[in-house]
Amino acid sequence: MTGALLILQPGHSVVTDLGRTKGPGYGLPVNGALDQFSAKAANILAGNADNDPLLELTALDFRMRATTDLLVAVTGAPLDLTVDGRDCPQWEPISVRAGETVAVRGIRTGLRAYIAVHGSFPVPTLLGSCAPDTVVGFGLKLMEGLRLETGKTTAPITQPHFGLPLFRLGLTKPAFTTHPVIDVTDGPDVAEFGDTADLLFTSQYTVSPRSNHIGLRLGGSLPERQHTTEVLSRGVPVGAIEVPSREELLVLHRGRGVTAGYPVLGVVTSRSLDVLAQARPGHTITFRKTTVAEATALHRAACLELDRLRSTIQTVFGLLGIGAGERWHELSPASGA
């Protein structure tokens, strides 16, 4: 049985997923959720596949009403979450009854939040992804009054013992701060900046209001390229730190074009890209030099954290009869029932 959400206050919200991995081969940005860890966690907490469509909210308040019983999870930046006026926790599955209103207010410290609904949303895709792309005019931006169909309806999960939390899932929530430290590996053109390259790690940078999903613009002390030869346009990775002018650094994010012609001083690690996704205008950024090996180890640790959460959710939801998996009364004595 399917359900639907009625959008009451869209704020600035879109339906997205983890990105268009086939896009760069066709000259399109990968796009997708900017804070990948929070997006994956939201889908896992809602009992979905990691890459299922979910909602990405940016900065502004948001409200939606459920037309059927639903199970949702909200992750990302700290915020105030209520269901029909009841305070509810982030980073946990939450039951929403038919007719109830889910409200997200006061997104703070960070910039983006994610709402996943059990069963996800049947939405159009381009090259296998529903991620919005402003260049080709594709994607679903939520508007007031929009009815967004959901894949499943889920009976409410209730806690019979008043005052006790419904779930204890053991997930380590990311830290959010107005002064994040961002890990960076050397870029292909770091040698061209000579001794001034060290300014990247000894200075602080301020996020500009002109930043967006394509890239973050940062003001501060800028390294200077010592070479005068022209930089040919070439492929650039998500996370590339460019010095396009004498006014600001540019950190390319998931909406970046696949080619560019500016020198690449460094590359932000995948875990730190999630941190940058939560950086607001006015936040101060400090860069920290790291190695590919260290960055890979942190990425793997995050993957293991999500794998443990997925395993826990599959066990708990299976026992509760949500989604696939054995229900408690179907478990054999040998399995520990």
Side-chain angles (χ1 to χ4, degrees):
M1 182 177 177
T2 60
L5 300 173
L6 181 63
I7 305 302
L8 305 178
Q9 182 181 0
H12 184 77
S13 55
V14 297
V15 180
T16 191
D17 52 26
L18 297 182
R20 187 165 291 104
T21 55
K22 296 180 181 178
Y26 294 89
L28 295 176
V30 65
N31 282 308
L34 263 67
D35 182 349
Q36 295 267 296
F37 184 89
S38 293
K40 291 176 184 177
N43 263 328
I44 292 170
L45 289 165
N48 296 334
D50 291 15
N51 197 36
D52 280 349
L54 78 169
L55 309 185
E56 181 179 66
L57 319 180
T58 302
L60 303 180
D61 293 352
F62 174 88
R63 288 185 299 122
M64 65 183 187
R65 180 179 298 130
T67 63
T68 55
D69 295 340
L70 298 173
L71 184 71
V72 307
V74 180
T75 62
L79 49 81
D80 299 316
L81 171 65
T82 60
V83 176
D84 250 28
R86 305 186 307 273
D87 292 333
C88 293
Q90 287 179 260
W91 300 87
E92 291 185 14
I94 301 293
S95 285
V96 180
R97 296 177 184 271
E100 291 187 327
T101 297
V102 178
V104 170
R105 296 186 176 91
I107 297 175
R108 52 191 177 272
T109 311
L111 187 62
R112 294 179 170 85
Y114 296 86
I115 302 178
V117 176
H118 181 61
S120 191
F121 313 105
V123 292
T125 61
L126 173 66
L127 294 177
S129 171
C130 72
D133 190 309
T134 56
V135 174
V136 298
F138 176 83
L140 181 56
K141 183 177 181 179
L142 302 186
M143 307 295 290
E144 183 178 350
L146 175 70
R147 181 183 172 93
L148 184 62
E149 301 297 323
T150 59
K152 296 178 182 178
T153 182
T154 308
I157 306 169
T158 58
Q159 167 57 268
H161 302 289
F162 180 77
L164 294 178
L166 187 57
F167 296 99
R168 294 183 186 273
L169 299 172
L171 175 66
T172 302
K173 302 174 188 177
F176 293 87
T177 175
T178 59
H179 306 285
V181 177
I182 303 302
D183 288 334
V184 175
T185 59
D186 281 341
D189 306 314
V190 63
E192 297 185 10
F193 290 85
D195 293 340
T196 72
D198 290 338
L199 282 173
L200 185 67
F201 306 109
T202 59
S203 306
Q204 283 193 337
Y205 296 89
T206 303
V207 179
S208 165
R210 296 198 298 143
S211 301
N212 55 27
H213 69 288
I214 296 174
L216 280 82
R217 297 180 181 275
L218 307 174
S221 300
L222 302 185
E224 293 186 18
R225 184 170 179 256
Q226 307 299 301
H227 293 206
T228 57
T229 55
E230 183 178 355
V231 178
L232 298 178
S233 184
R234 67 247 169 105
V236 290
V238 174
I241 301 176
E242 297 181 335
V243 188
S245 70
R246 294 189 177 183
E247 298 179 357
E248 57 191 6
L249 290 178
L250 177 62
V251 182
L252 299 181
H253 221 302
R254 299 182 63 82
R256 64 85 173 93
V258 296
T259 61
Y262 296 112
V264 177
L265 175 62
V267 180
V268 174
T269 67
S270 59
R271 287 296 293 121
S272 282
L273 277 171
D274 294 338
V275 179
L276 279 181
Q278 299 292 353
R280 284 176 169 266
H283 283 188
T284 55
I285 304 295
T286 300
F287 291 106
R288 178 175 59 194
K289 192 169 186 177
T290 190
T291 65
V292 172
E294 291 169 335
T296 301
L298 287 176
H299 176 71
R300 287 175 175 170
C303 290
L304 287 174
E305 178 86 4
L306 292 174
D307 284 343
R308 287 191 291 267
L309 177 64
R310 186 182 300 106
S311 178
T312 301
I313 286 290
Q314 288 174 347
T315 300
V316 171
F317 281 14
L319 295 173
L320 293 171
I322 301 173
E326 295 178 302
R327 295 174 173 83
W328 67 270
H329 53 77
E330 296 171 341
L331 294 173
S332 64
S335 61

